[in-house]
Amino acid sequence: ADKRALENNLQVSLIKIREKELDFYSRNCISIGTQAALLSGFAYAGIIQVDIPKSADDRLVSAYLCITTLAMAVELIALFNATMCSMLGPGLALRGPDGSMHTAVDGMMVEYRVCFLFFVVGVIFFHLSAFLFAWIEFSWPVALSISTTLCFFMYFMYTHFRRIYGKFQLKPGQMIDGRMVSVADVAHLAGPMAPKGGRHRDEANTVIQLTQRPGQGHGRTAEPAGR
């Protein structure tokens, strides 16, 4: 009875960790989707509400409209992906079969990065659109001043991005999640040169034995009681 209680408590703790990961990625997707919707609205307004002078160069006008349309489209893709992930990911974890929590969290971890990539590309197109609009709407001294300011702003934004990302970045080997791994998985990750009596393998073996039900073979983990 004590072993079964320990097993159930450990499984519940692992599921709670995965739920926190799922909530983390869902919030990230919602945040990206909100900002992407705002920028796509700005880009749409730049297409239909801007009064373009008739004397403007057709090449600049074409480039401006294409870049602005791309900014709107890319941000809408980010918005669509973020909305789908925030809806379908938790739904799979809640209503799917055994193991769906792990599938949902692993999928969200990949997809929210894709959403963020589209969002960043849309931001770049948005600034390029402002750059071209300055050369269409104003004389060249004013346009040059605006372009210089935009270039400095983009540079500072890039440096701040690198500084913040570098401060909070997790390397692949440092990332920890709530998934339970088997002894075989640990041996595969450790590589053939890892000692057989290594600390990580012993720890994994101990925890896996605690979560195995009677009659289960070594190297298999018990399926969580809930998702």
Side-chain angles (χ1 to χ4, degrees):
D2 292 339
K3 182 179 179 181
R4 181 60 59 86
L6 176 61
E7 172 190 338
N8 291 334
N9 290 335
L10 182 57
Q11 291 172 356
V12 170
S13 299
L14 292 174
I15 289 298
K16 287 182 178 179
I17 294 175
R18 298 300 273 180
E19 286 179 352
K20 290 181 179 179
E21 292 181 75
L22 184 66
D23 182 67
F24 168 75
Y25 294 126
S26 298
R27 289 178 180 272
N28 284 343
C29 287
I30 293 173
S31 177
I32 293 173
T34 302
Q35 304 304 322
L38 180 65
L39 289 180
S40 64
F42 288 158
Y44 180 71
I47 296 174
I48 66 171
Q49 295 184 359
V50 172
D51 187 14
I52 299 176
K54 295 182 179 180
S55 59
D57 189 350
D58 291 339
R59 292 171 296 182
L60 285 177
V61 174
S62 299
Y64 167 75
L65 293 176
C66 289
I67 293 296
T68 307
T69 304
L70 283 174
M72 181 187 67
V74 172
E75 294 295 350
L76 286 176
I77 292 174
L79 171 61
F80 179 79
N81 289 353
T83 303
M84 294 292 290
C85 289
S86 61
M87 291 173 54
L88 300 182
L92 174 63
L94 181 65
R95 296 175 295 182
D98 289 342
S100 296
M101 175 66 77
H102 301 304
T103 303
V105 173
D106 294 341
M108 291 282 287
M109 180 175 60
V110 175
E111 293 299 330
Y112 102 93
R113 293 177 179 174
V114 176
C115 294
F116 181 72
L117 177 62
F118 277 109
F119 174 75
V120 171
V121 173
V123 171
I124 294 174
F125 282 142
F126 187 80
H127 284 81
L128 292 177
S129 173
F131 179 87
L132 292 171
F133 177 77
W135 286 96
I136 292 174
E137 190 72 21
F138 305 106
S139 60
W140 75 265
V142 178
L144 182 61
S145 301
I146 296 175
S147 301
T148 304
T149 304
L150 284 174
C151 290
F152 276 111
F153 177 76
M154 293 182 67
Y155 171 75
F156 284 126
M157 186 170 60
Y158 172 73
T159 56
H160 281 282
F161 171 80
R162 289 195 58 183
R163 177 181 61 82
I164 296 174
Y165 185 78
K167 181 180 296 184
F168 297 104
Q169 181 184 12
L170 277 175
K171 296 181 180 179
Q174 298 174 337
M175 187 175 298
I176 301 174
D177 57 25
R179 177 183 291 276
M180 195 56 140
V181 296
S182 65
V183 179
D185 294 332
V186 174
H188 174 71
L189 294 175
M193 300 302 295
K196 296 183 178 180
R199 177 175 60 86
H200 297 289
R201 182 177 300 188
D202 293 340
E203 292 177 354
N205 191 23
T206 301
V207 178
I208 291 167
Q209 288 177 358
L210 289 175
T211 58
Q212 284 178 340
R213 297 184 183 275
Q216 285 185 320
H218 293 288
R220 295 181 57 191
T221 59
E223 284 293 332
R227 289 178 298 276

